[in-house]
Amino acid sequence: MLYRLLMQACGLLAAALLGGMVLLVSFDVIARNLGLLSLPWIVEVTEYSLPLATFLAAPWLMYRNEHVRLDVLGNLLGAGNLRRLDRIASGVGAVVSAVAAWYGLAALLDSRAAGSVVIKSLVFPEWWLLVPLPVCFALLAVECVRRLRHPASHDVPAVAGLEEERG
């Protein structure tokens, strides 16, 4: 239940960021064309929001089994071989995501210790930009491990999480 809410929050935040970017960029374009006030921080906020939305959406999409898959292999391999390949992919994904989370945390801590600051239209500590890396990659690692432990629940697209949301 708590895990499902966490995954839904990731999807909701990603959608809110994308919607916010659409509104900000639309406002900026309209304001510039009308010769009105242009806010210089809009481009910068959009630059930071796009990767953040991507990082937040990744674990949510995997949870819902709506991530990118090679359907061609599904047509070529039998059900048993496809399940084995999914388990191998989940294992590799868990390891890669855990390593990325570890290095993301190391980069965050290094940036914080160095006192690095981003100086553009907005000025803030650089490590703030790095917070999503370890968090979202850790969530991806957890989801990959979950898929390893319960592979049958991920055979059909959108089974994991979707049925609970519809119910």
Side-chain angles (χ1 to χ4, degrees), residues 91-102:
V92 170
V95 170
V96 169
S97 295
V99 169
W102 175 260

mmCIF file with all atom_site columns, all heavy atoms in Angstrom, residues 91-102:
data_model
loop_
_atom_site.group_PDB
_atom_site.id
_atom_site.type_symbol
_atom_site.label_atom_id
_atom_site.label_alt_id
_atom_site.label_comp_id
_atom_site.label_asym_id
_atom_site.label_entity_id
_atom_site.label_seq_id
_atom_site.pdbx_PDB_ins_code
_atom_site.Cartn_x
_atom_site.Cartn_y
_atom_site.Cartn_z
_atom_site.occupancy
_atom_site.B_iso_or_equiv
_atom_site.pdbx_formal_charge
_atom_site.auth_seq_id
_atom_site.auth_comp_id
_atom_site.auth_asym_id
_atom_site.auth_atom_id
_atom_site.pdbx_PDB_model_num
ATOM 1  N N   . GLY A 1 91  ? 17.524 -8.504 -13.115 1.00 0.00 ? 91  GLY A N   1
ATOM 2  C CA  . GLY A 1 91  ? 18.750 -8.611 -12.317 1.00 0.00 ? 91  GLY A CA  1
ATOM 3  C C   . GLY A 1 91  ? 19.791 -7.592 -12.745 1.00 0.00 ? 91  GLY A C   1
ATOM 4  O O   . GLY A 1 91  ? 20.395 -6.907 -11.901 1.00 0.00 ? 91  GLY A O   1
ATOM 5  N N   . VAL A 1 92  ? 19.995 -7.480 -14.036 1.00 0.00 ? 92  VAL A N   1
ATOM 6  C CA  . VAL A 1 92  ? 20.950 -6.492 -14.556 1.00 0.00 ? 92  VAL A CA  1
ATOM 7  C C   . VAL A 1 92  ? 20.471 -5.080 -14.201 1.00 0.00 ? 92  VAL A C   1
ATOM 8  O O   . VAL A 1 92  ? 21.261 -4.231 -13.770 1.00 0.00 ? 92  VAL A O   1
ATOM 9  C CB  . VAL A 1 92  ? 21.141 -6.652 -16.079 1.00 0.00 ? 92  VAL A CB  1
ATOM 10 C CG1 . VAL A 1 92  ? 21.928 -5.485 -16.660 1.00 0.00 ? 92  VAL A CG1 1
ATOM 11 C CG2 . VAL A 1 92  ? 21.829 -7.972 -16.395 1.00 0.00 ? 92  VAL A CG2 1
ATOM 12 N N   . GLY A 1 93  ? 19.179 -4.836 -14.370 1.00 0.00 ? 93  GLY A N   1
ATOM 13 C CA  . GLY A 1 93  ? 18.622 -3.527 -14.037 1.00 0.00 ? 93  GLY A CA  1
ATOM 14 C C   . GLY A 1 93  ? 18.797 -3.180 -12.572 1.00 0.00 ? 93  GLY A C   1
ATOM 15 O O   . GLY A 1 93  ? 19.092 -2.032 -12.228 1.00 0.00 ? 93  GLY A O   1
ATOM 16 N N   . ALA A 1 94  ? 18.632 -4.172 -11.695 1.00 0.00 ? 94  ALA A N   1
ATOM 17 C CA  . ALA A 1 94  ? 18.810 -3.936 -10.258 1.00 0.00 ? 94  ALA A CA  1
ATOM 18 C C   . ALA A 1 94  ? 20.250 -3.544 -9.944  1.00 0.00 ? 94  ALA A C   1
ATOM 19 O O   . ALA A 1 94  ? 20.499 -2.593 -9.192  1.00 0.00 ? 94  ALA A O   1
ATOM 20 C CB  . ALA A 1 94  ? 18.401 -5.173 -9.461  1.00 0.00 ? 94  ALA A CB  1
ATOM 21 N N   . VAL A 1 95  ? 21.189 -4.258 -10.544 1.00 0.00 ? 95  VAL A N   1
ATOM 22 C CA  . VAL A 1 95  ? 22.608 -3.968 -10.288 1.00 0.00 ? 95  VAL A CA  1
ATOM 23 C C   . VAL A 1 95  ? 22.990 -2.596 -10.847 1.00 0.00 ? 95  VAL A C   1
ATOM 24 O O   . VAL A 1 95  ? 23.604 -1.776 -10.150 1.00 0.00 ? 95  VAL A O   1
ATOM 25 C CB  . VAL A 1 95  ? 23.514 -5.076 -10.884 1.00 0.00 ? 95  VAL A CB  1
ATOM 26 C CG1 . VAL A 1 95  ? 24.978 -4.677 -10.841 1.00 0.00 ? 95  VAL A CG1 1
ATOM 27 C CG2 . VAL A 1 95  ? 23.295 -6.393 -10.142 1.00 0.00 ? 95  VAL A CG2 1
ATOM 28 N N   . VAL A 1 96  ? 22.613 -2.341 -12.093 1.00 0.00 ? 96  VAL A N   1
ATOM 29 C CA  . VAL A 1 96  ? 22.953 -1.052 -12.721 1.00 0.00 ? 96  VAL A CA  1
ATOM 30 C C   . VAL A 1 96  ? 22.301 0.106  -11.953 1.00 0.00 ? 96  VAL A C   1
ATOM 31 O O   . VAL A 1 96  ? 22.943 1.132  -11.694 1.00 0.00 ? 96  VAL A O   1
ATOM 32 C CB  . VAL A 1 96  ? 22.529 -1.040 -14.208 1.00 0.00 ? 96  VAL A CB  1
ATOM 33 C CG1 . VAL A 1 96  ? 22.613 0.356  -14.798 1.00 0.00 ? 96  VAL A CG1 1
ATOM 34 C CG2 . VAL A 1 96  ? 23.384 -2.015 -14.998 1.00 0.00 ? 96  VAL A CG2 1
ATOM 35 N N   . SER A 1 97  ? 21.053 -0.062 -11.565 1.00 0.00 ? 97  SER A N   1
ATOM 36 C CA  . SER A 1 97  ? 20.357 1.000  -10.830 1.00 0.00 ? 97  SER A CA  1
ATOM 37 C C   . SER A 1 97  ? 20.981 1.219  -9.459  1.00 0.00 ? 97  SER A C   1
ATOM 38 O O   . SER A 1 97  ? 21.110 2.369  -9.008  1.00 0.00 ? 97  SER A O   1
ATOM 39 C CB  . SER A 1 97  ? 18.872 0.660  -10.681 1.00 0.00 ? 97  SER A CB  1
ATOM 40 O OG  . SER A 1 97  ? 18.250 0.625  -11.941 1.00 0.00 ? 97  SER A OG  1
ATOM 41 N N   . ALA A 1 98  ? 21.367 0.144  -8.783  1.00 0.00 ? 98  ALA A N   1
ATOM 42 C CA  . ALA A 1 98  ? 22.008 0.281  -7.471  1.00 0.00 ? 98  ALA A CA  1
ATOM 43 C C   . ALA A 1 98  ? 23.356 0.990  -7.599  1.00 0.00 ? 98  ALA A C   1
ATOM 44 O O   . ALA A 1 98  ? 23.694 1.856  -6.773  1.00 0.00 ? 98  ALA A O   1
ATOM 45 C CB  . ALA A 1 98  ? 22.184 -1.094 -6.829  1.00 0.00 ? 98  ALA A CB  1
ATOM 46 N N   . VAL A 1 99  ? 24.132 0.644  -8.613  1.00 0.00 ? 99  VAL A N   1
ATOM 47 C CA  . VAL A 1 99  ? 25.420 1.316  -8.840  1.00 0.00 ? 99  VAL A CA  1
ATOM 48 C C   . VAL A 1 99  ? 25.194 2.795  -9.152  1.00 0.00 ? 99  VAL A C   1
ATOM 49 O O   . VAL A 1 99  ? 25.891 3.667  -8.622  1.00 0.00 ? 99  VAL A O   1
ATOM 50 C CB  . VAL A 1 99  ? 26.217 0.608  -9.961  1.00 0.00 ? 99  VAL A CB  1
ATOM 51 C CG1 . VAL A 1 99  ? 27.416 1.434  -10.404 1.00 0.00 ? 99  VAL A CG1 1
ATOM 52 C CG2 . VAL A 1 99  ? 26.663 -0.782 -9.501  1.00 0.00 ? 99  VAL A CG2 1
ATOM 53 N N   . ALA A 1 100 ? 24.215 3.087  -10.008 1.00 0.00 ? 100 ALA A N   1
ATOM 54 C CA  . ALA A 1 100 ? 23.915 4.485  -10.343 1.00 0.00 ? 100 ALA A CA  1
ATOM 55 C C   . ALA A 1 100 ? 23.459 5.254  -9.095  1.00 0.00 ? 100 ALA A C   1
ATOM 56 O O   . ALA A 1 100 ? 23.825 6.425  -8.913  1.00 0.00 ? 100 ALA A O   1
ATOM 57 C CB  . ALA A 1 100 ? 22.862 4.562  -11.442 1.00 0.00 ? 100 ALA A CB  1
ATOM 58 N N   . ALA A 1 101 ? 22.666 4.613  -8.241  1.00 0.00 ? 101 ALA A N   1
ATOM 59 C CA  . ALA A 1 101 ? 22.220 5.259  -7.003  1.00 0.00 ? 101 ALA A CA  1
ATOM 60 C C   . ALA A 1 101 ? 23.424 5.549  -6.104  1.00 0.00 ? 101 ALA A C   1
ATOM 61 O O   . ALA A 1 101 ? 23.521 6.636  -5.510  1.00 0.00 ? 101 ALA A O   1
ATOM 62 C CB  . ALA A 1 101 ? 21.209 4.378  -6.278  1.00 0.00 ? 101 ALA A CB  1
ATOM 63 N N   . TRP A 1 102 ? 24.326 4.591  -6.012  1.00 0.00 ? 102 TRP A N   1
ATOM 64 C CA  . TRP A 1 102 ? 25.528 4.763  -5.176  1.00 0.00 ? 102 TRP A CA  1
ATOM 65 C C   . TRP A 1 102 ? 26.381 5.933  -5.687  1.00 0.00 ? 102 TRP A C   1
ATOM 66 O O   . TRP A 1 102 ? 26.780 6.802  -4.914  1.00 0.00 ? 102 TRP A O   1
ATOM 67 C CB  . TRP A 1 102 ? 26.336 3.473  -5.161  1.00 0.00 ? 102 TRP A CB  1
ATOM 68 C CG  . TRP A 1 102 ? 27.632 3.616  -4.431  1.00 0.00 ? 102 TRP A CG  1
ATOM 69 C CD1 . TRP A 1 102 ? 28.876 3.798  -4.965  1.00 0.00 ? 102 TRP A CD1 1
ATOM 70 C CD2 . TRP A 1 102 ? 27.806 3.643  -3.012  1.00 0.00 ? 102 TRP A CD2 1
ATOM 71 N NE1 . TRP A 1 102 ? 29.813 3.917  -3.973  1.00 0.00 ? 102 TRP A NE1 1
ATOM 72 C CE2 . TRP A 1 102 ? 29.190 3.831  -2.762  1.00 0.00 ? 102 TRP A CE2 1
ATOM 73 C CE3 . TRP A 1 102 ? 26.925 3.529  -1.939  1.00 0.00 ? 102 TRP A CE3 1
ATOM 74 C CZ2 . TRP A 1 102 ? 29.699 3.899  -1.481  1.00 0.00 ? 102 TRP A CZ2 1
ATOM 75 C CZ3 . TRP A 1 102 ? 27.456 3.593  -0.655  1.00 0.00 ? 102 TRP A CZ3 1
ATOM 76 C CH2 . TRP A 1 102 ? 28.827 3.782  -0.438  1.00 0.00 ? 102 TRP A CH2 1
#
